[in-house]
Amino acid sequence: VRLVVKLGPELLVRYANLMGIERHLQPVYSLALGSADVTLLEMTNAFNTLANNGIRTRPLMVLRVEDEHGLILEQNRTELQPVLSPATAYVVTNMLQSVVNEGTATAIRARGYSGPAAGKTGTTDDYTDAWFIGYTPSICCGVWVGFDEKRTIFRGATGGGIAAPAWAEFMKQVRPDTLSAFPLPPEFQDSLVTLPICEQTGRLATARCPRVRYEVFIKGTEPQQECPLHGR
């Protein structure tokens, strides 16, 4: 919410459309709280842009049509459109891994999916919709739980509680990732830096900071000041 207030809802709408949300969005601040309805396909496609290192793809329902002799009657190829820098997509992916490893989607780990994964849960008012959109280095998958009309699934039906477990069970049945981490194209590795950050202040951690985590930044955007709360 603070980020949208700082940058403006118009920029939020622009990036949402760039990344795969095709319907018209009103540039209002409540977008940060999920005030616009979108389809599962649109939302999954937007997350796929992050999974694909910033390259948007147009979803295809039919790859090709063959006759009984194997002759190809129709073949479709997806359109590729770079909309984010790979470094930016990687930074967001790094943040979204925390959702699975320690956030609202830890049910994925509890269900036994151990491969690299990033994503985000979502829960609407009155528990009418439960979401989890997640991806691995090779597959992006979206899960939505709800009814055709707006009505409560059940009290406490959250994205982390019912959508994320479904995602985990599905992904375990697909194919395991051979990669142990999300790859970054080598030509962009020099544009990123990983630094220890104090969780309380968001500044560079000192030896006295009680809770420290390592975060990835695009060079030039990283914090420059040490934590003032736990200074030397």
Side-chain angles (χ1 to χ4, degrees):
V1 171
R2 291 195 300 268
L3 187 62
V4 174
V5 170
K6 181 178 180 179
L7 299 178
E10 293 81 8
L11 188 62
L12 175 63
V13 169
R14 178 187 166 206
Y15 271 91
N17 293 151
L18 278 175
M19 293 178 64
I21 305 298
E22 295 187 345
R23 66 186 53 205
H24 176 70
L25 299 176
Q26 294 290 336
V28 292
Y29 289 102
S30 59
L31 281 176
L33 300 174
S35 61
D37 285 333
V38 299
T39 67
L40 178 62
L41 180 61
E42 284 179 289
M43 187 66 78
T44 305
N45 192 33
F47 273 76
N48 187 66
T49 300
L50 295 172
N52 205 28
N53 287 324
I55 298 177
R56 176 181 173 180
T57 61
R58 185 168 297 279
L60 294 176
M61 295 297 182
V62 178
L63 294 179
R64 67 177 179 268
V65 179
E66 300 178 359
D67 65 12
E68 68 273 22
H69 304 295
L71 180 65
I72 297 177
L73 304 178
E74 178 183 339
Q75 187 162 6
N76 298 311
R77 300 186 183 278
T78 188
E79 301 174 18
L80 304 179
Q81 181 184 3
V83 296
L84 292 176
S85 76
T88 298
Y90 185 85
V91 168
V92 179
T93 293
N94 181 264
M95 290 190 287
L96 293 179
Q97 290 180 79
S98 300
V99 178
V100 177
N101 295 329
E102 56 189 283
T104 54
T106 53
I108 290 172
R109 299 305 188 200
R111 290 284 178 138
Y113 185 79
S114 59
K120 188 70 185 73
T121 60
T123 307
T124 58
D125 290 348
D126 299 320
Y127 304 105
T128 57
D129 301 273
W131 297 77
F132 182 74
I133 317 293
Y135 54 94
T136 72
S138 62
I139 299 174
C140 184
C141 172
V143 175
W144 168 79
V145 180
F147 295 101
D148 288 340
E149 66 278 0
K150 285 282 186 183
R151 63 187 176 96
T152 300
I153 305 168
F154 60 82
R155 303 303 298 179
T158 65
I162 58 177
W167 187 93
E169 294 299 328
F170 170 75
M171 294 300 290
K172 287 193 298 182
Q173 300 301 319
V174 186
R175 65 175 186 263
D177 272 296
T178 57
L179 300 175
S180 59
F182 286 92
L184 177 70
E187 62 269 27
F188 292 96
Q189 290 180 358
D190 292 338
S191 62
L192 298 175
V193 61
T194 303
L195 295 170
I197 302 297
C198 175
E199 290 191 4
Q200 291 179 259
T201 64
R203 303 290 180 84
L204 292 174
T206 70
R208 295 185 179 182
C209 293
R211 298 181 60 185
V212 176
R213 66 188 306 128
Y214 284 85
E215 296 287 356
V216 178
F217 299 91
I218 297 175
K219 285 184 179 179
T221 68
E222 70 273 16
Q224 300 294 328
Q225 297 179 334
E226 284 191 343
C227 170
L229 190 62
H230 309 105
R232 291 184 178 84

